[in-house]
Amino acid sequence: ERFRAEGRLPHGHSGTAAFNNLRGNMDSYCKALQRDESGPLIPGDDMAELVDLQVGDFHLTGQLDSFADDHTQVNLGCARVGGRQLLAGWIRHLVWHALPNPELSPRFTIVTGQSKGKLEARWINPVEGADKAKELLAGLLELYWRGRLEPLLLFPKTSYAYMAANTRNAETEEEILMKRMEKARAQW
């Protein structure tokens, strides 16, 4: 009723059908999170990491609070995992790894979603050292600030297609670049 009152659903029977479809998707997603092979991916309420971090000219404060255990951060989303979700997960991952004295043990970040009713999970591996994480985070923050001053071209879907291209059979750097550019152009 709340979604209907807020105007988030169409009126009448089509609104009820849309809501039931969304609820079914969420139910299957939650069940998949609970039975993942690597262990349940449901974040605990009792784990959080306070953030008070100076990165160049930027001062980041807040809280990271989506942890499945003391060394796994989870970014939940019901839609398919794409470039935007991976970028958001990467930023949270870098912030966690850049903390000087984290309470939890920074290791993995898992970005989850679902595609055609099946759980999708992308693992982000540990960053070697807080200094490296800060350096990478500083680069992203500089781009963010530049984007506030002037339009920057950011194409997360195209960038993701470029990086995810299958380059196993490529023998030279030129072949790898050609395969990646082909995938990026197809996404574009």
Side-chain angles (χ1 to χ4, degrees), residues 109-175:
T109 297
I110 306 171
V111 180
T112 67
Q114 67 176 342
S115 176
K116 298 178 183 172
K118 294 190 179 191
L119 180 67
E120 229 184 338
R122 299 284 189 272
W123 289 69
I124 301 175
N125 291 320
V127 176
E128 296 300 321
D131 289 339
K132 181 65 174 174
K134 261 187 160 175
E135 176 187 325
L136 293 168
L137 192 55
L140 287 174
L141 287 168
E142 286 173 25
L143 285 173
Y144 164 77
W145 193 251
R146 270 190 49 212
R148 305 252 324 155
L149 300 174
E150 62 181 289
L152 291 181
L153 302 176
L154 175 64
F155 304 103
K157 290 179 182 177
T158 307
S159 300
Y160 179 63
Y162 177 88
M163 289 309 299
N166 183 355
T167 59
R168 279 186 228 132
N169 297 331
E171 295 180 12
T172 65
E173 289 293 322
E174 188 174 315
E175 286 180 30

Side-chain angles (χ1 to χ4, degrees), residues 32-100:
L33 287 174
Q34 291 171 342
R35 67 176 183 269
D36 189 68
E37 305 95 35
S38 60
L41 297 177
I42 305 292
D45 294 335
D46 57 341
M47 287 185 271
E49 192 76 77
L50 293 178
V51 175
D52 188 357
L53 186 63
Q54 189 70 39
V55 181
D57 294 334
F58 297 92
H59 188 186
L60 306 178
T61 59
Q63 178 174 301
L64 298 171
D65 59 3
S66 187
F67 294 93
D69 56 43
D70 69 343
H71 61 273
T72 308
Q73 181 176 203
V74 182
N75 285 13
L76 302 172
C78 195
R80 186 172 188 159
V81 175
R84 288 185 181 140
Q85 293 82 1
L86 288 170
L87 180 59
W90 177 238
I91 291 168
R92 290 174 57 92
H93 186 70
L94 289 176
V95 168
W96 188 27
H97 279 76
L99 294 175

